[in-house]
Amino acid sequence: MKEKLLELFEQNRGTLISGSDIAKSLGVSRAAVNKAISGLRDSGYKFDATSRLGYVFSEKNDIISPSGIYKYLNGNKHKIVHLDEVNSTNTALKELAQNGAQEGTVVVTEMQTGGKGRRGKRFFSPRGCGVYFSLLLRPRLKAADSVFITVAASVAVRRAIKHLLHADTQIKWVNDVYFNNKKLCGILTEASMEIESGYLNYAVLGIGINIKPPENGYPEEFAFKTTNLSEISHPLPDDLKNKLIAEVLTQFDRLYETLEQKDYIEEYKEASCILGRKIEILAGPYAGPAVAEDIDSDANLIVRLPNGNTAALNSGDVSICL
């Protein structure tokens, strides 16, 4: 009932709909409509009610919902699963994948209690402050090439923000989107592999984008290195969360169709915020200071070490020396 009502309102956002028309459209009583609308209000949705005339679904609503996302998607290749709160969208989607969920399934949430970053790091995911979602992929891809999913996703996020907010963002190898030297978006790809063939069973692509700061500010570990879309554009567009999820999915779908052609690598390289800069390599075959010199056609980071030698990194974390 709630989702059907939301779908009806999303299709008529900003338009007055009478209670009797809603009841007739959904095949329920007026009392059921009133109860459902009260429930939506309790969930944070805003309605501009006109006595005896009906309801107007406010343009100011910015709450994630499947119907809100579908409104901005072309085609039906994605099945949106909305969970109000979850430990991790990646974890939830992996469970669905293991039970046979179709490629293109997306888990979205308002809040993660255990949001994950690479190498066991925490991704801070407070309610109402961002979009947190995971996409299920079933590519015929070698496990060693799964990095291209992450690379393509970072380009897709960058394009989506450019499209919606007309702002340029940067990419920090290998999986973060930055703005003004601060982290705006984290991306984590996790995969299941066939041991015998070395190919992926499936991949779960997790994306978290910060939209606004939490009411009480960021925890100390994030405070000086985290940014959000409200620092890029103010005021933010109406219904940004649903638009943003849909636009990232749209941009990624285009890149995914030709993933192995790697046409996006040059854009990924041009958007890099670390090339030519001193960095600290935090993991991988070498840990320590270096200079980031290039990103090759396989998305390896080419670095110059203190002894003058160069090395190609295909995994690990780096931080920028400010």
mmCIF file of all heavy atoms in Angstrom, residues 280-319:
data_model
loop_
_atom_site.group_PDB
_atom_site.id
_atom_site.type_symbol
_atom_site.label_atom_id
_atom_site.label_comp_id
_atom_site.label_asym_id
_atom_site.label_seq_id
_atom_site.Cartn_x
_atom_site.Cartn_y
_atom_site.Cartn_z
ATOM 1 N N GLU A 280 51.679 8.964 0.092
ATOM 2 C CA GLU A 280 52.144 7.930 1.007
ATOM 3 C C GLU A 280 51.403 6.651 0.645
ATOM 4 O O GLU A 280 50.166 6.618 0.644
ATOM 5 C CB GLU A 280 51.842 8.321 2.452
ATOM 6 C CG GLU A 280 52.456 7.410 3.489
ATOM 7 C CD GLU A 280 53.937 7.665 3.735
ATOM 8 O OE1 GLU A 280 54.445 8.740 3.311
ATOM 9 O OE2 GLU A 280 54.598 6.810 4.353
ATOM 10 N N ILE A 281 52.155 5.620 0.294
ATOM 11 C CA ILE A 281 51.556 4.333 -0.018
ATOM 12 C C ILE A 281 51.363 3.586 1.294
ATOM 13 O O ILE A 281 52.315 3.374 2.044
ATOM 14 C CB ILE A 281 52.437 3.522 -0.985
ATOM 15 C CG1 ILE A 281 52.674 4.325 -2.273
ATOM 16 C CG2 ILE A 281 51.798 2.180 -1.305
ATOM 17 C CD1 ILE A 281 53.707 3.713 -3.188
ATOM 18 N N LEU A 282 50.111 3.178 1.551
ATOM 19 C CA LEU A 282 49.789 2.626 2.857
ATOM 20 C C LEU A 282 49.709 1.109 2.860
ATOM 21 O O LEU A 282 49.707 0.496 3.920
ATOM 22 C CB LEU A 282 48.453 3.207 3.341
ATOM 23 C CG LEU A 282 48.383 4.742 3.364
ATOM 24 C CD1 LEU A 282 46.998 5.194 3.765
ATOM 25 C CD2 LEU A 282 49.422 5.304 4.320
ATOM 26 N N ALA A 283 49.624 0.504 1.683
ATOM 27 C CA ALA A 283 49.525 -0.955 1.612
ATOM 28 C C ALA A 283 49.973 -1.405 0.235
ATOM 29 O O ALA A 283 50.031 -0.619 -0.708
ATOM 30 C CB ALA A 283 48.096 -1.411 1.892
ATOM 31 N N GLY A 284 50.300 -2.675 0.122
ATOM 32 C CA GLY A 284 50.755 -3.207 -1.147
ATOM 33 C C GLY A 284 52.190 -3.681 -1.065
ATOM 34 O O GLY A 284 52.760 -3.804 0.027
ATOM 35 N N PRO A 285 52.823 -3.932 -2.215
ATOM 36 C CA PRO A 285 54.192 -4.454 -2.206
ATOM 37 C C PRO A 285 55.211 -3.464 -1.662
ATOM 38 O O PRO A 285 56.299 -3.838 -1.250
ATOM 39 C CB PRO A 285 54.456 -4.756 -3.686
ATOM 40 C CG PRO A 285 53.507 -3.857 -4.424
ATOM 41 C CD PRO A 285 52.286 -3.782 -3.574
ATOM 42 N N TYR A 286 54.848 -2.168 -1.662
ATOM 43 C CA TYR A 286 55.748 -1.146 -1.134
ATOM 44 C C TYR A 286 54.933 -0.204 -0.274
ATOM 45 O O TYR A 286 53.853 0.232 -0.654
ATOM 46 C CB TYR A 286 56.419 -0.370 -2.272
ATOM 47 C CG TYR A 286 57.184 0.848 -1.791
ATOM 48 C CD1 TYR A 286 58.486 0.731 -1.312
ATOM 49 C CD2 TYR A 286 56.585 2.103 -1.793
ATOM 50 C CE1 TYR A 286 59.169 1.838 -0.838
ATOM 51 C CE2 TYR A 286 57.272 3.217 -1.322
ATOM 52 C CZ TYR A 286 58.560 3.079 -0.841
ATOM 53 O OH TYR A 286 59.236 4.179 -0.369
ATOM 54 N N ALA A 287 55.404 0.121 0.902
ATOM 55 C CA ALA A 287 54.734 1.075 1.779
ATOM 56 C C ALA A 287 55.707 2.182 2.125
ATOM 57 O O ALA A 287 56.829 1.923 2.560
ATOM 58 C CB ALA A 287 54.234 0.387 3.043
ATOM 59 N N GLY A 288 55.292 3.415 1.903
ATOM 60 C CA GLY A 288 56.165 4.537 2.179
ATOM 61 C C GLY A 288 55.910 5.678 1.220
ATOM 62 O O GLY A 288 54.943 5.673 0.458
ATOM 63 N N PRO A 289 56.775 6.687 1.194
ATOM 64 C CA PRO A 289 56.571 7.856 0.337
ATOM 65 C C PRO A 289 56.856 7.542 -1.127
ATOM 66 O O PRO A 289 57.640 6.646 -1.450
ATOM 67 C CB PRO A 289 57.570 8.877 0.891
ATOM 68 C CG PRO A 289 58.659 8.039 1.488
ATOM 69 C CD PRO A 289 57.977 6.825 2.057
ATOM 70 N N ALA A 290 56.225 8.294 -1.999
ATOM 71 C CA ALA A 290 56.436 8.143 -3.440
ATOM 72 C C ALA A 290 55.824 9.357 -4.123
ATOM 73 O O ALA A 290 55.196 10.211 -3.482
ATOM 74 C CB ALA A 290 55.802 6.854 -3.951
ATOM 75 N N VAL A 291 56.021 9.436 -5.424
ATOM 76 C CA VAL A 291 55.367 10.449 -6.247
ATOM 77 C C VAL A 291 54.495 9.725 -7.262
ATOM 78 O O VAL A 291 54.959 8.798 -7.940
ATOM 79 C CB VAL A 291 56.387 11.346 -6.971
ATOM 80 C CG1 VAL A 291 55.666 12.299 -7.926
ATOM 81 C CG2 VAL A 291 57.213 12.133 -5.958
ATOM 82 N N ALA A 292 53.228 10.108 -7.351
ATOM 83 C CA ALA A 292 52.316 9.494 -8.317
ATOM 84 C C ALA A 292 52.583 10.100 -9.694
ATOM 85 O O ALA A 292 52.431 11.304 -9.883
ATOM 86 C CB ALA A 292 50.877 9.733 -7.904
ATOM 87 N N GLU A 293 52.983 9.269 -10.643
ATOM 88 C CA GLU A 293 53.384 9.785 -11.953
ATOM 89 C C GLU A 293 52.380 9.522 -13.070
ATOM 90 O O GLU A 293 52.256 10.328 -13.986
ATOM 91 C CB GLU A 293 54.744 9.202 -12.349
ATOM 92 C CG GLU A 293 55.890 9.700 -11.482
ATOM 93 C CD GLU A 293 57.239 9.546 -12.156
ATOM 94 O OE1 GLU A 293 57.383 8.683 -13.048
ATOM 95 O OE2 GLU A 293 58.166 10.317 -11.807
ATOM 96 N N ASP A 294 51.673 8.394 -13.016
ATOM 97 C CA ASP A 294 50.814 8.061 -14.146
ATOM 98 C C ASP A 294 49.808 7.001 -13.733
ATOM 99 O O ASP A 294 49.945 6.350 -12.690
ATOM 100 C CB ASP A 294 51.669 7.544 -15.317
ATOM 101 C CG ASP A 294 50.948 7.607 -16.660
ATOM 102 O OD1 ASP A 294 49.808 8.135 -16.710
ATOM 103 O OD2 ASP A 294 51.511 7.117 -17.651
ATOM 104 N N ILE A 295 48.783 6.828 -14.545
ATOM 105 C CA ILE A 295 47.848 5.711 -14.439
ATOM 106 C C ILE A 295 47.819 5.046 -15.804
ATOM 107 O O ILE A 295 47.548 5.707 -16.813
ATOM 108 C CB ILE A 295 46.442 6.181 -14.023
ATOM 109 C CG1 ILE A 295 46.481 6.762 -12.602
ATOM 110 C CG2 ILE A 295 45.442 5.036 -14.112
ATOM 111 C CD1 ILE A 295 45.196 7.441 -12.178
ATOM 112 N N ASP A 296 48.140 3.764 -15.865
ATOM 113 C CA ASP A 296 48.257 3.113 -17.167
ATOM 114 C C ASP A 296 46.911 2.566 -17.645
ATOM 115 O O ASP A 296 45.879 2.738 -16.989
ATOM 116 C CB ASP A 296 49.345 2.037 -17.153
ATOM 117 C CG ASP A 296 49.018 0.837 -16.277
ATOM 118 O OD1 ASP A 296 47.832 0.645 -15.932
ATOM 119 O OD2 ASP A 296 49.953 0.072 -15.947
ATOM 120 N N SER A 297 46.914 1.899 -18.782
ATOM 121 C CA SER A 297 45.677 1.438 -19.407
ATOM 122 C C SER A 297 44.991 0.328 -18.627
ATOM 123 O O SER A 297 43.838 -0.021 -18.917
ATOM 124 C CB SER A 297 45.960 0.962 -20.837
ATOM 125 O OG SER A 297 46.896 -0.112 -20.829
ATOM 126 N N ASP A 298 45.669 -0.241 -17.650
ATOM 127 C CA ASP A 298 45.066 -1.257 -16.789
ATOM 128 C C ASP A 298 44.698 -0.695 -15.421
ATOM 129 O O ASP A 298 44.424 -1.452 -14.480
ATOM 130 C CB ASP A 298 46.024 -2.439 -16.618
ATOM 131 C CG ASP A 298 46.159 -3.250 -17.891
ATOM 132 O OD1 ASP A 298 45.141 -3.413 -18.600
ATOM 133 O OD2 ASP A 298 47.274 -3.717 -18.186
ATOM 134 N N ALA A 299 44.707 0.621 -15.305
ATOM 135 C CA ALA A 299 44.366 1.338 -14.069
ATOM 136 C C ALA A 299 45.399 1.145 -12.968
ATOM 137 O O ALA A 299 45.124 1.421 -11.802
ATOM 138 C CB ALA A 299 42.973 0.956 -13.572
ATOM 139 N N ASN A 300 46.593 0.668 -13.324
ATOM 140 C CA ASN A 300 47.679 0.603 -12.345
ATOM 141 C C ASN A 300 48.205 2.011 -12.078
ATOM 142 O O ASN A 300 48.301 2.834 -12.993
ATOM 143 C CB ASN A 300 48.836 -0.254 -12.876
ATOM 144 C CG ASN A 300 48.439 -1.705 -13.056
ATOM 145 O OD1 ASN A 300 47.764 -2.289 -12.216
ATOM 146 N ND2 ASN A 300 48.858 -2.288 -14.173
ATOM 147 N N LEU A 301 48.560 2.278 -10.830
ATOM 148 C CA LEU A 301 49.166 3.555 -10.475
ATOM 149 C C LEU A 301 50.679 3.429 -10.610
ATOM 150 O O LEU A 301 51.304 2.579 -9.972
ATOM 151 C CB LEU A 301 48.798 3.935 -9.041
ATOM 152 C CG LEU A 301 49.388 5.255 -8.529
ATOM 153 C CD1 LEU A 301 48.853 6.436 -9.327
ATOM 154 C CD2 LEU A 301 49.096 5.423 -7.036
ATOM 155 N N ILE A 302 51.255 4.272 -11.451
ATOM 156 C CA ILE A 302 52.704 4.277 -11.650
ATOM 157 C C ILE A 302 53.308 5.300 -10.700
ATOM 158 O O ILE A 302 52.959 6.491 -10.748
ATOM 159 C CB ILE A 302 53.078 4.623 -13.104
ATOM 160 C CG1 ILE A 302 52.270 3.745 -14.085
ATOM 161 C CG2 ILE A 302 54.571 4.470 -13.317
ATOM 162 C CD1 ILE A 302 52.469 2.256 -13.890
ATOM 163 N N VAL A 303 54.200 4.840 -9.830
ATOM 164 C CA VAL A 303 54.793 5.724 -8.828
ATOM 165 C C VAL A 303 56.314 5.712 -8.951
ATOM 166 O O VAL A 303 56.916 4.730 -9.396
ATOM 167 C CB VAL A 303 54.392 5.303 -7.402
ATOM 168 C CG1 VAL A 303 52.881 5.385 -7.215
ATOM 169 C CG2 VAL A 303 54.896 3.907 -7.071
ATOM 170 N N ARG A 304 56.917 6.841 -8.568
ATOM 171 C CA ARG A 304 58.371 6.907 -8.489
ATOM 172 C C ARG A 304 58.768 6.845 -7.016
ATOM 173 O O ARG A 304 58.316 7.631 -6.196
ATOM 174 C CB ARG A 304 58.915 8.179 -9.138
ATOM 175 C CG ARG A 304 60.455 8.220 -9.172
ATOM 176 C CD ARG A 304 60.963 9.284 -10.124
ATOM 177 N NE ARG A 304 60.577 9.003 -11.501
ATOM 178 C CZ ARG A 304 61.203 8.151 -12.315
ATOM 179 N NH1 ARG A 304 62.261 7.475 -11.866
ATOM 180 N NH2 ARG A 304 60.788 7.974 -13.547
ATOM 181 N N LEU A 305 59.620 5.885 -6.727
ATOM 182 C CA LEU A 305 60.044 5.642 -5.356
ATOM 183 C C LEU A 305 61.232 6.533 -4.989
ATOM 184 O O LEU A 305 61.885 7.099 -5.881
ATOM 185 C CB LEU A 305 60.406 4.169 -5.199
ATOM 186 C CG LEU A 305 59.318 3.167 -5.619
ATOM 187 C CD1 LEU A 305 59.843 1.747 -5.486
ATOM 188 C CD2 LEU A 305 58.055 3.367 -4.815
ATOM 189 N N PRO A 306 61.544 6.676 -3.717
ATOM 190 C CA PRO A 306 62.658 7.538 -3.292
ATOM 191 C C PRO A 306 64.000 7.159 -3.908
ATOM 192 O O PRO A 306 64.868 8.025 -4.077
ATOM 193 C CB PRO A 306 62.675 7.346 -1.771
ATOM 194 C CG PRO A 306 61.273 7.007 -1.426
ATOM 195 C CD PRO A 306 60.781 6.170 -2.562
ATOM 196 N N ASN A 307 64.178 5.889 -4.278
ATOM 197 C CA ASN A 307 65.455 5.471 -4.879
ATOM 198 C C ASN A 307 65.512 5.742 -6.372
ATOM 199 O O ASN A 307 66.488 5.383 -7.040
ATOM 200 C CB ASN A 307 65.722 3.993 -4.591
ATOM 201 C CG ASN A 307 64.659 3.082 -5.212
ATOM 202 O OD1 ASN A 307 63.808 3.531 -5.976
ATOM 203 N ND2 ASN A 307 64.722 1.800 -4.867
ATOM 204 N N GLY A 308 64.481 6.364 -6.923
ATOM 205 C CA GLY A 308 64.457 6.691 -8.342
ATOM 206 C C GLY A 308 63.786 5.658 -9.218
ATOM 207 O O GLY A 308 63.485 5.926 -10.386
ATOM 208 N N ASN A 309 63.551 4.484 -8.704
ATOM 209 C CA ASN A 309 62.874 3.442 -9.467
ATOM 210 C C ASN A 309 61.380 3.720 -9.559
ATOM 211 O O ASN A 309 60.811 4.440 -8.724
ATOM 212 C CB ASN A 309 63.094 2.073 -8.823
ATOM 213 C CG ASN A 309 64.542 1.633 -8.881
ATOM 214 O OD1 ASN A 309 65.295 2.070 -9.758
ATOM 215 N ND2 ASN A 309 64.947 0.771 -7.958
ATOM 216 N N THR A 310 60.736 3.146 -10.574
ATOM 217 C CA THR A 310 59.282 3.241 -10.692
ATOM 218 C C THR A 310 58.653 1.891 -10.375
ATOM 219 O O THR A 310 59.293 0.843 -10.521
ATOM 220 C CB THR A 310 58.857 3.692 -12.102
ATOM 221 O OG1 THR A 310 59.331 2.753 -13.059
ATOM 222 C CG2 THR A 310 59.388 5.074 -12.410
ATOM 223 N N ALA A 311 57.407 1.937 -9.950
ATOM 224 C CA ALA A 311 56.665 0.720 -9.648
ATOM 225 C C ALA A 311 55.222 0.907 -10.099
ATOM 226 O O ALA A 311 54.699 2.032 -10.118
ATOM 227 C CB ALA A 311 56.720 0.418 -8.153
ATOM 228 N N ALA A 312 54.589 -0.195 -10.489
ATOM 229 C CA ALA A 312 53.178 -0.177 -10.889
ATOM 230 C C ALA A 312 52.359 -0.843 -9.795
ATOM 231 O O ALA A 312 52.556 -2.024 -9.507
ATOM 232 C CB ALA A 312 52.993 -0.899 -12.220
ATOM 233 N N LEU A 313 51.460 -0.089 -9.183
ATOM 234 C CA LEU A 313 50.618 -0.618 -8.115
ATOM 235 C C LEU A 313 49.253 -0.995 -8.668
ATOM 236 O O LEU A 313 48.597 -0.184 -9.332
ATOM 237 C CB LEU A 313 50.433 0.432 -7.017
ATOM 238 C CG LEU A 313 51.693 1.013 -6.374
ATOM 239 C CD1 LEU A 313 51.302 2.018 -5.299
ATOM 240 C CD2 LEU A 313 52.568 -0.078 -5.788
ATOM 241 N N ASN A 314 48.845 -2.233 -8.414
ATOM 242 C CA ASN A 314 47.501 -2.640 -8.833
ATOM 243 C C ASN A 314 46.552 -2.820 -7.659
ATOM 244 O O ASN A 314 45.395 -3.177 -7.826
ATOM 245 C CB ASN A 314 47.554 -3.925 -9.679
ATOM 246 C CG ASN A 314 48.210 -5.083 -8.928
ATOM 247 O OD1 ASN A 314 48.311 -5.062 -7.705
ATOM 248 N ND2 ASN A 314 48.683 -6.069 -9.672
ATOM 249 N N SER A 315 47.061 -2.552 -6.471
ATOM 250 C CA SER A 315 46.211 -2.598 -5.275
ATOM 251 C C SER A 315 46.866 -1.777 -4.183
ATOM 252 O O SER A 315 48.039 -1.368 -4.317
ATOM 253 C CB SER A 315 46.019 -4.052 -4.801
ATOM 254 O OG SER A 315 47.248 -4.613 -4.391
ATOM 255 N N GLY A 316 46.134 -1.570 -3.111
ATOM 256 C CA GLY A 316 46.680 -0.796 -2.005
ATOM 257 C C GLY A 316 45.934 0.507 -1.821
ATOM 258 O O GLY A 316 45.020 0.834 -2.555
ATOM 259 N N ASP A 317 46.337 1.259 -0.820
ATOM 260 C CA ASP A 317 45.758 2.563 -0.522
ATOM 261 C C ASP A 317 46.841 3.626 -0.561
ATOM 262 O O ASP A 317 47.994 3.342 -0.254
ATOM 263 C CB ASP A 317 45.105 2.566 0.864
ATOM 264 C CG ASP A 317 43.804 1.790 0.892
ATOM 265 O OD1 ASP A 317 43.165 1.672 -0.170
ATOM 266 O OD2 ASP A 317 43.442 1.286 1.968
ATOM 267 N N VAL A 318 46.457 4.827 -0.922
ATOM 268 C CA VAL A 318 47.402 5.939 -0.896
ATOM 269 C C VAL A 318 46.741 7.127 -0.195
ATOM 270 O O VAL A 318 45.526 7.263 -0.173
ATOM 271 C CB VAL A 318 47.848 6.357 -2.320
ATOM 272 C CG1 VAL A 318 48.512 5.203 -3.051
ATOM 273 C CG2 VAL A 318 46.655 6.904 -3.131
ATOM 274 N N SER A 319 47.569 7.967 0.395
ATOM 275 C CA SER A 319 47.096 9.240 0.935
ATOM 276 C C SER A 319 47.924 10.350 0.336
ATOM 277 O O SER A 319 49.093 10.157 -0.024
ATOM 278 C CB SER A 319 47.190 9.257 2.464
ATOM 279 O OG SER A 319 48.543 9.161 2.884
#
